[in-house]
Amino acid sequence: MKGLFALLKGLWMTGVQFFSKTETIQYPEAVPPATRWRGVHGLFFTQDVKEELCVSCCLVARVCPAQAISMEGREKEDGDKVLERFDVDLGRCVYCGFCEEVCPVEAIRLTPSWDYVGRDRSSLVLHKEDLVEIGRISMNTGSKKESI
Ligand code: SF4
Ligand code: SF4
């Protein structure tokens, strides 16, 4: 008797689910990520999106636990530093957010972008131009995260 009840209950649940509204979302539609979601990195600019914020201090490369960041800077004649190369290997990154936390000028931020894919390991390495573009798009669309 108990088994029959369980069977009927199971069939009833199946029937309810069969006729209820589907919750599946077709890509590229997506549920917005949580506000604290850590997605693909971007290099950000001043408010007018003209000047890069990064001062090439190399702190992020030192703090990254996965050694996913490598970079090079050059000193200008006026003593300021300019960023020559900035690579983030997403194949190594564990999205811990340490880089975002330590940056003294909030130049690097983890954007809400969640659907970056690569066909091989080399395409998972983002270069400065890619990071700058992501930062620019993020600023223009207003999708940058608030400062942490
Ligand atoms: S999120 Fe973490 S693992 Fe990824 S680059 Fe930043 S510090 Fe490294
Ligand atoms: S992103 Fe921030 S911490 Fe990293 S080198 Fe640039 S200014 Fe320094």
Side-chain angles (χ1 to χ4, degrees):
M1 196 62 189
K2 208 173 168 184
L4 182 64
F5 176 71
L7 178 67
L8 290 173
K9 192 176 166 190
L11 285 171
W12 182 76
M13 283 300 292
T14 306
V16 167
Q17 291 304 319
F18 189 78
F19 291 107
S20 61
K21 186 172 158 277
T22 177
E23 297 294 339
T24 307
I25 296 172
Q26 297 289 338
Y27 184 84
E29 263 183 71
V31 177
T35 49
R36 288 188 64 79
W37 170 258
R38 295 194 282 259
V40 178
H41 312 59
L43 279 174
F44 282 69
F45 297 80
T46 47
Q47 280 301 327
D48 54 9
V49 200
K50 281 187 180 154
E51 232 179 292
E52 289 174 14
L53 286 171
C54 180
V55 292
S56 194
C57 65
C58 294
L59 201 53
V60 280
R62 277 187 227 121
V63 82
C64 175
Q67 297 180 341
I69 299 178
S70 67
M71 57 185 301
E72 275 169 42
R74 173 175 58 82
E75 198 164 313
K76 293 192 290 185
E77 283 165 10
D78 60 6
D80 282 354
K81 274 186 147 184
V82 62
L83 189 61
E84 293 272 292
R85 184 177 65 81
F86 196 111
D87 299 331
V88 179
D89 186 347
L90 297 181
R92 297 184 71 108
C93 175
V94 293
Y95 297 90
C96 63
F98 284 179
C99 50
E100 188 180 51
E101 279 182 46
V102 297
C103 179
V105 290
E106 298 190 344
I108 189 166
R109 295 179 213 169
L110 300 182
T111 68
S113 177
W114 54 270
D115 56 352
Y116 187 84
V117 292
R119 290 178 185 273
D120 50 41
R121 290 196 72 85
S122 64
S123 60
L124 290 174
V125 178
L126 296 182
H127 304 293
K128 184 188 166 190
E129 311 80 62
D130 308 314
L131 297 161
V132 160
E133 188 59 19
I134 294 168
R136 202 186 294 278
I137 291 169
S138 217
M139 284 187 82
N140 286 338
T141 56
S143 61
K144 68 174 178 153
K145 284 197 298 188
E146 292 301 313
S147 314
I148 49 170

PDB file of all heavy atoms in Angstrom, residues 37-72:
ATOM      1  N   TRP A  37      29.415  38.719  -8.235  1.00  0.00           N
ATOM      2  CA  TRP A  37      29.975  37.785  -9.222  1.00  0.00           C
ATOM      3  C   TRP A  37      31.315  38.300  -9.731  1.00  0.00           C
ATOM      4  O   TRP A  37      31.467  39.484 -10.019  1.00  0.00           O
ATOM      5  CB  TRP A  37      28.986  37.638 -10.385  1.00  0.00           C
ATOM      6  CG  TRP A  37      29.555  36.909 -11.554  1.00  0.00           C
ATOM      7  CD1 TRP A  37      30.024  37.450 -12.715  1.00  0.00           C
ATOM      8  CD2 TRP A  37      29.728  35.496 -11.676  1.00  0.00           C
ATOM      9  NE1 TRP A  37      30.471  36.471 -13.556  1.00  0.00           N
ATOM     10  CE2 TRP A  37      30.300  35.257 -12.940  1.00  0.00           C
ATOM     11  CE3 TRP A  37      29.452  34.414 -10.841  1.00  0.00           C
ATOM     12  CZ2 TRP A  37      30.603  33.982 -13.395  1.00  0.00           C
ATOM     13  CZ3 TRP A  37      29.757  33.144 -11.300  1.00  0.00           C
ATOM     14  CH2 TRP A  37      30.321  32.933 -12.554  1.00  0.00           C
ATOM     15  N   ARG A  38      32.280  37.399  -9.838  1.00  0.00           N
ATOM     16  CA  ARG A  38      33.591  37.792 -10.347  1.00  0.00           C
ATOM     17  C   ARG A  38      33.789  37.177 -11.726  1.00  0.00           C
ATOM     18  O   ARG A  38      33.999  35.966 -11.844  1.00  0.00           O
ATOM     19  CB  ARG A  38      34.687  37.334  -9.381  1.00  0.00           C
ATOM     20  CG  ARG A  38      34.619  38.036  -8.026  1.00  0.00           C
ATOM     21  CD  ARG A  38      35.879  37.836  -7.239  1.00  0.00           C
ATOM     22  NE  ARG A  38      35.941  36.533  -6.635  1.00  0.00           N
ATOM     23  CZ  ARG A  38      35.670  36.289  -5.349  1.00  0.00           C
ATOM     24  NH1 ARG A  38      35.346  37.277  -4.547  1.00  0.00           N
ATOM     25  NH2 ARG A  38      35.752  35.068  -4.874  1.00  0.00           N
ATOM     26  N   GLY A  39      33.685  38.012 -12.753  1.00  0.00           N
ATOM     27  CA  GLY A  39      33.833  37.536 -14.127  1.00  0.00           C
ATOM     28  C   GLY A  39      35.163  37.963 -14.723  1.00  0.00           C
ATOM     29  O   GLY A  39      36.133  38.205 -14.011  1.00  0.00           O
ATOM     30  N   VAL A  40      35.156  38.067 -16.038  1.00  0.00           N
ATOM     31  CA  VAL A  40      36.396  38.375 -16.762  1.00  0.00           C
ATOM     32  C   VAL A  40      36.946  39.754 -16.376  1.00  0.00           C
ATOM     33  O   VAL A  40      36.185  40.695 -16.164  1.00  0.00           O
ATOM     34  CB  VAL A  40      36.116  38.319 -18.277  1.00  0.00           C
ATOM     35  CG1 VAL A  40      37.349  38.681 -19.077  1.00  0.00           C
ATOM     36  CG2 VAL A  40      35.650  36.928 -18.657  1.00  0.00           C
ATOM     37  N   HIS A  41      38.249  39.851 -16.327  1.00  0.00           N
ATOM     38  CA  HIS A  41      38.923  41.082 -15.919  1.00  0.00           C
ATOM     39  C   HIS A  41      38.830  42.177 -16.980  1.00  0.00           C
ATOM     40  O   HIS A  41      38.743  41.895 -18.164  1.00  0.00           O
ATOM     41  CB  HIS A  41      40.417  40.836 -15.698  1.00  0.00           C
ATOM     42  CG  HIS A  41      40.703  39.640 -14.855  1.00  0.00           C
ATOM     43  ND1 HIS A  41      40.293  38.379 -15.195  1.00  0.00           N
ATOM     44  CD2 HIS A  41      41.364  39.519 -13.700  1.00  0.00           C
ATOM     45  CE1 HIS A  41      40.678  37.531 -14.265  1.00  0.00           C
ATOM     46  NE2 HIS A  41      41.333  38.189 -13.345  1.00  0.00           N
ATOM     47  N   GLY A  42      38.899  43.398 -16.512  1.00  0.00           N
ATOM     48  CA  GLY A  42      38.981  44.536 -17.409  1.00  0.00           C
ATOM     49  C   GLY A  42      39.924  45.565 -16.819  1.00  0.00           C
ATOM     50  O   GLY A  42      40.071  45.652 -15.597  1.00  0.00           O
ATOM     51  N   LEU A  43      40.595  46.308 -17.699  1.00  0.00           N
ATOM     52  CA  LEU A  43      41.423  47.424 -17.223  1.00  0.00           C
ATOM     53  C   LEU A  43      40.615  48.697 -17.391  1.00  0.00           C
ATOM     54  O   LEU A  43      40.119  48.986 -18.490  1.00  0.00           O
ATOM     55  CB  LEU A  43      42.724  47.509 -18.019  1.00  0.00           C
ATOM     56  CG  LEU A  43      43.843  46.538 -17.590  1.00  0.00           C
ATOM     57  CD1 LEU A  43      45.024  46.638 -18.552  1.00  0.00           C
ATOM     58  CD2 LEU A  43      44.309  46.798 -16.165  1.00  0.00           C
ATOM     59  N   PHE A  44      40.482  49.452 -16.337  1.00  0.00           N
ATOM     60  CA  PHE A  44      39.580  50.593 -16.338  1.00  0.00           C
ATOM     61  C   PHE A  44      40.313  51.923 -16.500  1.00  0.00           C
ATOM     62  O   PHE A  44      41.534  52.007 -16.370  1.00  0.00           O
ATOM     63  CB  PHE A  44      38.726  50.580 -15.072  1.00  0.00           C
ATOM     64  CG  PHE A  44      37.599  49.593 -15.164  1.00  0.00           C
ATOM     65  CD1 PHE A  44      37.860  48.237 -15.167  1.00  0.00           C
ATOM     66  CD2 PHE A  44      36.292  50.013 -15.283  1.00  0.00           C
ATOM     67  CE1 PHE A  44      36.828  47.309 -15.283  1.00  0.00           C
ATOM     68  CE2 PHE A  44      35.259  49.094 -15.391  1.00  0.00           C
ATOM     69  CZ  PHE A  44      35.520  47.751 -15.387  1.00  0.00           C
ATOM     70  N   PHE A  45      39.515  52.933 -16.757  1.00  0.00           N
ATOM     71  CA  PHE A  45      40.021  54.272 -17.087  1.00  0.00           C
ATOM     72  C   PHE A  45      39.493  55.314 -16.110  1.00  0.00           C
ATOM     73  O   PHE A  45      38.640  55.029 -15.284  1.00  0.00           O
ATOM     74  CB  PHE A  45      39.542  54.664 -18.492  1.00  0.00           C
ATOM     75  CG  PHE A  45      40.058  53.794 -19.565  1.00  0.00           C
ATOM     76  CD1 PHE A  45      39.478  52.562 -19.816  1.00  0.00           C
ATOM     77  CD2 PHE A  45      41.141  54.182 -20.342  1.00  0.00           C
ATOM     78  CE1 PHE A  45      39.958  51.741 -20.820  1.00  0.00           C
ATOM     79  CE2 PHE A  45      41.618  53.373 -21.343  1.00  0.00           C
ATOM     80  CZ  PHE A  45      41.033  52.151 -21.581  1.00  0.00           C
ATOM     81  N   THR A  46      39.963  56.530 -16.326  1.00  0.00           N
ATOM     82  CA  THR A  46      39.394  57.655 -15.592  1.00  0.00           C
ATOM     83  C   THR A  46      37.931  57.826 -16.039  1.00  0.00           C
ATOM     84  O   THR A  46      37.538  57.286 -17.077  1.00  0.00           O
ATOM     85  CB  THR A  46      40.167  58.951 -15.906  1.00  0.00           C
ATOM     86  OG1 THR A  46      40.337  59.025 -17.323  1.00  0.00           O
ATOM     87  CG2 THR A  46      41.515  58.984 -15.232  1.00  0.00           C
ATOM     88  N   GLN A  47      37.156  58.589 -15.295  1.00  0.00           N
ATOM     89  CA  GLN A  47      35.725  58.736 -15.576  1.00  0.00           C
ATOM     90  C   GLN A  47      35.430  59.131 -17.025  1.00  0.00           C
ATOM     91  O   GLN A  47      34.464  58.669 -17.614  1.00  0.00           O
ATOM     92  CB  GLN A  47      35.107  59.789 -14.635  1.00  0.00           C
ATOM     93  CG  GLN A  47      34.784  59.259 -13.242  1.00  0.00           C
ATOM     94  CD  GLN A  47      33.801  58.097 -13.257  1.00  0.00           C
ATOM     95  OE1 GLN A  47      32.927  58.032 -14.104  1.00  0.00           O
ATOM     96  NE2 GLN A  47      33.960  57.160 -12.334  1.00  0.00           N
ATOM     97  N   ASP A  48      36.284  59.975 -17.614  1.00  0.00           N
ATOM     98  CA  ASP A  48      36.044  60.410 -18.996  1.00  0.00           C
ATOM     99  C   ASP A  48      36.517  59.369 -20.021  1.00  0.00           C
ATOM    100  O   ASP A  48      36.516  59.617 -21.224  1.00  0.00           O
ATOM    101  CB  ASP A  48      36.711  61.769 -19.257  1.00  0.00           C
ATOM    102  CG  ASP A  48      38.197  61.759 -18.896  1.00  0.00           C
ATOM    103  OD1 ASP A  48      38.728  60.673 -18.607  1.00  0.00           O
ATOM    104  OD2 ASP A  48      38.814  62.837 -18.898  1.00  0.00           O
ATOM    105  N   VAL A  49      36.922  58.192 -19.532  1.00  0.00           N
ATOM    106  CA  VAL A  49      37.387  57.073 -20.367  1.00  0.00           C
ATOM    107  C   VAL A  49      38.520  57.497 -21.295  1.00  0.00           C
ATOM    108  O   VAL A  49      38.608  57.047 -22.437  1.00  0.00           O
ATOM    109  CB  VAL A  49      36.212  56.433 -21.155  1.00  0.00           C
ATOM    110  CG1 VAL A  49      36.549  55.027 -21.616  1.00  0.00           C
ATOM    111  CG2 VAL A  49      34.954  56.378 -20.340  1.00  0.00           C
ATOM    112  N   LYS A  50      39.402  58.393 -20.819  1.00  0.00           N
ATOM    113  CA  LYS A  50      40.493  58.845 -21.675  1.00  0.00           C
ATOM    114  C   LYS A  50      41.839  58.310 -21.201  1.00  0.00           C
ATOM    115  O   LYS A  50      42.681  57.927 -21.998  1.00  0.00           O
ATOM    116  CB  LYS A  50      40.533  60.377 -21.700  1.00  0.00           C
ATOM    117  CG  LYS A  50      39.484  60.965 -22.632  1.00  0.00           C
ATOM    118  CD  LYS A  50      39.650  62.440 -22.772  1.00  0.00           C
ATOM    119  CE  LYS A  50      38.584  63.003 -23.709  1.00  0.00           C
ATOM    120  NZ  LYS A  50      38.293  64.405 -23.432  1.00  0.00           N
ATOM    121  N   GLU A  51      42.037  58.304 -19.909  1.00  0.00           N
ATOM    122  CA  GLU A  51      43.343  57.948 -19.379  1.00  0.00           C
ATOM    123  C   GLU A  51      43.300  56.622 -18.628  1.00  0.00           C
ATOM    124  O   GLU A  51      42.364  56.373 -17.863  1.00  0.00           O
ATOM    125  CB  GLU A  51      43.783  59.042 -18.393  1.00  0.00           C
ATOM    126  CG  GLU A  51      45.164  59.570 -18.688  1.00  0.00           C
ATOM    127  CD  GLU A  51      45.509  60.661 -17.690  1.00  0.00           C
ATOM    128  OE1 GLU A  51      44.880  61.734 -17.751  1.00  0.00           O
ATOM    129  OE2 GLU A  51      46.370  60.396 -16.851  1.00  0.00           O
ATOM    130  N   GLU A  52      44.308  55.802 -18.873  1.00  0.00           N
ATOM    131  CA  GLU A  52      44.368  54.532 -18.154  1.00  0.00           C
ATOM    132  C   GLU A  52      44.660  54.781 -16.677  1.00  0.00           C
ATOM    133  O   GLU A  52      45.469  55.645 -16.346  1.00  0.00           O
ATOM    134  CB  GLU A  52      45.489  53.664 -18.721  1.00  0.00           C
ATOM    135  CG  GLU A  52      45.182  53.115 -20.090  1.00  0.00           C
ATOM    136  CD  GLU A  52      46.366  52.377 -20.696  1.00  0.00           C
ATOM    137  OE1 GLU A  52      47.326  52.063 -19.966  1.00  0.00           O
ATOM    138  OE2 GLU A  52      46.315  52.122 -21.895  1.00  0.00           O
ATOM    139  N   LEU A  53      44.009  54.006 -15.827  1.00  0.00           N
ATOM    140  CA  LEU A  53      44.236  54.175 -14.388  1.00  0.00           C
ATOM    141  C   LEU A  53      45.496  53.453 -13.912  1.00  0.00           C
ATOM    142  O   LEU A  53      46.136  53.862 -12.956  1.00  0.00           O
ATOM    143  CB  LEU A  53      43.033  53.633 -13.604  1.00  0.00           C
ATOM    144  CG  LEU A  53      41.764  54.480 -13.616  1.00  0.00           C
ATOM    145  CD1 LEU A  53      40.617  53.706 -12.994  1.00  0.00           C
ATOM    146  CD2 LEU A  53      41.977  55.774 -12.849  1.00  0.00           C
ATOM    147  N   CYS A  54      45.850  52.371 -14.591  1.00  0.00           N
ATOM    148  CA  CYS A  54      46.973  51.545 -14.135  1.00  0.00           C
ATOM    149  C   CYS A  54      48.277  52.341 -14.135  1.00  0.00           C
ATOM    150  O   CYS A  54      48.621  52.996 -15.107  1.00  0.00           O
ATOM    151  CB  CYS A  54      47.109  50.326 -15.036  1.00  0.00           C
ATOM    152  SG  CYS A  54      48.458  49.259 -14.556  1.00  0.00           S
ATOM    153  N   VAL A  55      48.975  52.267 -13.000  1.00  0.00           N
ATOM    154  CA  VAL A  55      50.248  52.992 -12.889  1.00  0.00           C
ATOM    155  C   VAL A  55      51.435  52.027 -12.967  1.00  0.00           C
ATOM    156  O   VAL A  55      52.561  52.370 -12.634  1.00  0.00           O
ATOM    157  CB  VAL A  55      50.311  53.810 -11.573  1.00  0.00           C
ATOM    158  CG1 VAL A  55      49.323  54.936 -11.610  1.00  0.00           C
ATOM    159  CG2 VAL A  55      50.046  52.916 -10.354  1.00  0.00           C
ATOM    160  N   SER A  56      51.136  50.810 -13.403  1.00  0.00           N
ATOM    161  CA  SER A  56      52.172  49.818 -13.654  1.00  0.00           C
ATOM    162  C   SER A  56      53.061  49.539 -12.438  1.00  0.00           C
ATOM    163  O   SER A  56      54.279  49.454 -12.557  1.00  0.00           O
ATOM    164  CB  SER A  56      53.022  50.311 -14.843  1.00  0.00           C
ATOM    165  OG  SER A  56      53.818  49.293 -15.322  1.00  0.00           O
ATOM    166  N   CYS A  57      52.405  49.354 -11.301  1.00  0.00           N
ATOM    167  CA  CYS A  57      53.182  49.114 -10.075  1.00  0.00           C
ATOM    168  C   CYS A  57      53.514  47.634  -9.870  1.00  0.00           C
ATOM    169  O   CYS A  57      54.283  47.283  -8.981  1.00  0.00           O
ATOM    170  CB  CYS A  57      52.409  49.640  -8.865  1.00  0.00           C
ATOM    171  SG  CYS A  57      50.868  48.747  -8.554  1.00  0.00           S
ATOM    172  N   CYS A  58      52.897  46.757 -10.653  1.00  0.00           N
ATOM    173  CA  CYS A  58      53.155  45.298 -10.624  1.00  0.00           C
ATOM    174  C   CYS A  58      52.637  44.585  -9.370  1.00  0.00           C
ATOM    175  O   CYS A  58      52.972  43.413  -9.156  1.00  0.00           O
ATOM    176  CB  CYS A  58      54.643  44.993 -10.789  1.00  0.00           C
ATOM    177  SG  CYS A  58      55.266  45.456 -12.391  1.00  0.00           S
ATOM    178  N   LEU A  59      51.867  45.274  -8.564  1.00  0.00           N
ATOM    179  CA  LEU A  59      51.363  44.657  -7.332  1.00  0.00           C
ATOM    180  C   LEU A  59      50.490  43.433  -7.640  1.00  0.00           C
ATOM    181  O   LEU A  59      50.580  42.401  -6.963  1.00  0.00           O
ATOM    182  CB  LEU A  59      50.553  45.703  -6.564  1.00  0.00           C
ATOM    183  CG  LEU A  59      50.344  45.487  -5.078  1.00  0.00           C
ATOM    184  CD1 LEU A  59      51.663  45.258  -4.374  1.00  0.00           C
ATOM    185  CD2 LEU A  59      49.628  46.690  -4.473  1.00  0.00           C
ATOM    186  N   VAL A  60      49.657  43.540  -8.653  1.00  0.00           N
ATOM    187  CA  VAL A  60      48.753  42.436  -8.988  1.00  0.00           C
ATOM    188  C   VAL A  60      49.511  41.168  -9.365  1.00  0.00           C
ATOM    189  O   VAL A  60      49.115  40.064  -9.003  1.00  0.00           O
ATOM    190  CB  VAL A  60      47.774  42.820 -10.134  1.00  0.00           C
ATOM    191  CG1 VAL A  60      46.624  43.625  -9.628  1.00  0.00           C
ATOM    192  CG2 VAL A  60      48.491  43.531 -11.247  1.00  0.00           C
ATOM    193  N   ALA A  61      50.598  41.351 -10.094  1.00  0.00           N
ATOM    194  CA  ALA A  61      51.379  40.179 -10.517  1.00  0.00           C
ATOM    195  C   ALA A  61      51.990  39.484  -9.303  1.00  0.00           C
ATOM    196  O   ALA A  61      52.129  38.266  -9.280  1.00  0.00           O
ATOM    197  CB  ALA A  61      52.473  40.608 -11.493  1.00  0.00           C
ATOM    198  N   ARG A  62      52.342  40.265  -8.277  1.00  0.00           N
ATOM    199  CA  ARG A  62      52.959  39.684  -7.080  1.00  0.00           C
ATOM    200  C   ARG A  62      51.924  38.993  -6.199  1.00  0.00           C
ATOM    201  O   ARG A  62      52.196  37.986  -5.579  1.00  0.00           O
ATOM    202  CB  ARG A  62      53.677  40.758  -6.269  1.00  0.00           C
ATOM    203  CG  ARG A  62      55.060  41.013  -6.827  1.00  0.00           C
ATOM    204  CD  ARG A  62      55.861  41.951  -5.956  1.00  0.00           C
ATOM    205  NE  ARG A  62      56.475  42.957  -6.803  1.00  0.00           N
ATOM    206  CZ  ARG A  62      56.286  44.242  -6.704  1.00  0.00           C
ATOM    207  NH1 ARG A  62      55.492  44.721  -5.778  1.00  0.00           N
ATOM    208  NH2 ARG A  62      56.877  45.070  -7.524  1.00  0.00           N
ATOM    209  N   VAL A  63      50.718  39.535  -6.159  1.00  0.00           N
ATOM    210  CA  VAL A  63      49.716  39.005  -5.224  1.00  0.00           C
ATOM    211  C   VAL A  63      48.933  37.820  -5.798  1.00  0.00           C
ATOM    212  O   VAL A  63      48.379  37.027  -5.044  1.00  0.00           O
ATOM    213  CB  VAL A  63      48.752  40.133  -4.786  1.00  0.00           C
ATOM    214  CG1 VAL A  63      47.665  40.369  -5.809  1.00  0.00           C
ATOM    215  CG2 VAL A  63      48.143  39.842  -3.440  1.00  0.00           C
ATOM    216  N   CYS A  64      48.903  37.681  -7.094  1.00  0.00           N
ATOM    217  CA  CYS A  64      48.070  36.636  -7.715  1.00  0.00           C
ATOM    218  C   CYS A  64      48.533  35.243  -7.273  1.00  0.00           C
ATOM    219  O   CYS A  64      49.655  34.838  -7.561  1.00  0.00           O
ATOM    220  CB  CYS A  64      48.131  36.756  -9.235  1.00  0.00           C
ATOM    221  SG  CYS A  64      47.234  35.421 -10.047  1.00  0.00           S
ATOM    222  N   PRO A  65      47.664  34.480  -6.595  1.00  0.00           N
ATOM    223  CA  PRO A  65      48.079  33.167  -6.097  1.00  0.00           C
ATOM    224  C   PRO A  65      48.272  32.137  -7.210  1.00  0.00           C
ATOM    225  O   PRO A  65      48.952  31.139  -7.012  1.00  0.00           O
ATOM    226  CB  PRO A  65      46.915  32.761  -5.175  1.00  0.00           C
ATOM    227  CG  PRO A  65      45.747  33.504  -5.678  1.00  0.00           C
ATOM    228  CD  PRO A  65      46.266  34.785  -6.245  1.00  0.00           C
ATOM    229  N   ALA A  66      47.665  32.391  -8.360  1.00  0.00           N
ATOM    230  CA  ALA A  66      47.756  31.432  -9.462  1.00  0.00           C
ATOM    231  C   ALA A  66      48.828  31.834 -10.478  1.00  0.00           C
ATOM    232  O   ALA A  66      49.013  31.142 -11.483  1.00  0.00           O
ATOM    233  CB  ALA A  66      46.400  31.352 -10.162  1.00  0.00           C
ATOM    234  N   GLN A  67      49.524  32.919 -10.189  1.00  0.00           N
ATOM    235  CA  GLN A  67      50.534  33.466 -11.113  1.00  0.00           C
ATOM    236  C   GLN A  67      49.944  33.597 -12.517  1.00  0.00           C
ATOM    237  O   GLN A  67      50.548  33.191 -13.505  1.00  0.00           O
ATOM    238  CB  GLN A  67      51.776  32.597 -11.113  1.00  0.00           C
ATOM    239  CG  GLN A  67      52.433  32.580  -9.740  1.00  0.00           C
ATOM    240  CD  GLN A  67      53.672  31.725  -9.683  1.00  0.00           C
ATOM    241  OE1 GLN A  67      53.900  30.874 -10.519  1.00  0.00           O
ATOM    242  NE2 GLN A  67      54.484  31.969  -8.680  1.00  0.00           N
ATOM    243  N   ALA A  68      48.742  34.131 -12.572  1.00  0.00           N
ATOM    244  CA  ALA A  68      48.046  34.266 -13.847  1.00  0.00           C
ATOM    245  C   ALA A  68      48.328  35.603 -14.529  1.00  0.00           C
ATOM    246  O   ALA A  68      47.974  35.789 -15.686  1.00  0.00           O
ATOM    247  CB  ALA A  68      46.538  34.126 -13.617  1.00  0.00           C
ATOM    248  N   ILE A  69      48.955  36.523 -13.800  1.00  0.00           N
ATOM    249  CA  ILE A  69      49.185  37.856 -14.370  1.00  0.00           C
ATOM    250  C   ILE A  69      50.663  38.069 -14.629  1.00  0.00           C
ATOM    251  O   ILE A  69      51.502  37.798 -13.763  1.00  0.00           O
ATOM    252  CB  ILE A  69      48.674  38.955 -13.410  1.00  0.00           C
ATOM    253  CG1 ILE A  69      47.164  38.808 -13.183  1.00  0.00           C
ATOM    254  CG2 ILE A  69      49.003  40.339 -13.948  1.00  0.00           C
ATOM    255  CD1 ILE A  69      46.578  39.814 -12.212  1.00  0.00           C
ATOM    256  N   SER A  70      50.972  38.520 -15.821  1.00  0.00           N
ATOM    257  CA  SER A  70      52.349  38.948 -16.085  1.00  0.00           C
ATOM    258  C   SER A  70      52.283  40.291 -16.805  1.00  0.00           C
ATOM    259  O   SER A  70      51.353  40.543 -17.573  1.00  0.00           O
ATOM    260  CB  SER A  70      53.123  37.915 -16.908  1.00  0.00           C
ATOM    261  OG  SER A  70      52.596  37.831 -18.192  1.00  0.00           O
ATOM    262  N   MET A  71      53.240  41.142 -16.498  1.00  0.00           N
ATOM    263  CA  MET A  71      53.171  42.502 -17.042  1.00  0.00           C
ATOM    264  C   MET A  71      54.537  43.151 -17.115  1.00  0.00           C
ATOM    265  O   MET A  71      55.491  42.694 -16.473  1.00  0.00           O
ATOM    266  CB  MET A  71      52.248  43.342 -16.159  1.00  0.00           C
ATOM    267  CG  MET A  71      52.671  43.376 -14.712  1.00  0.00           C
ATOM    268  SD  MET A  71      51.483  44.258 -13.707  1.00  0.00           S
ATOM    269  CE  MET A  71      51.520  45.842 -14.503  1.00  0.00           C
ATOM    270  N   GLU A  72      54.602  44.186 -17.909  1.00  0.00           N
ATOM    271  CA  GLU A  72      55.832  44.977 -18.004  1.00  0.00           C
ATOM    272  C   GLU A  72      55.453  46.443 -18.078  1.00  0.00           C
ATOM    273  O   GLU A  72      54.485  46.795 -18.743  1.00  0.00           O
ATOM    274  CB  GLU A  72      56.587  44.644 -19.298  1.00  0.00           C
ATOM    275  CG  GLU A  72      57.490  43.441 -19.211  1.00  0.00           C
ATOM    276  CD  GLU A  72      57.977  43.033 -20.584  1.00  0.00           C
ATOM    277  OE1 GLU A  72      58.332  43.946 -21.373  1.00  0.00           O
ATOM    278  OE2 GLU A  72      57.972  41.828 -20.865  1.00  0.00           O
TER     279      GLU A  72
END
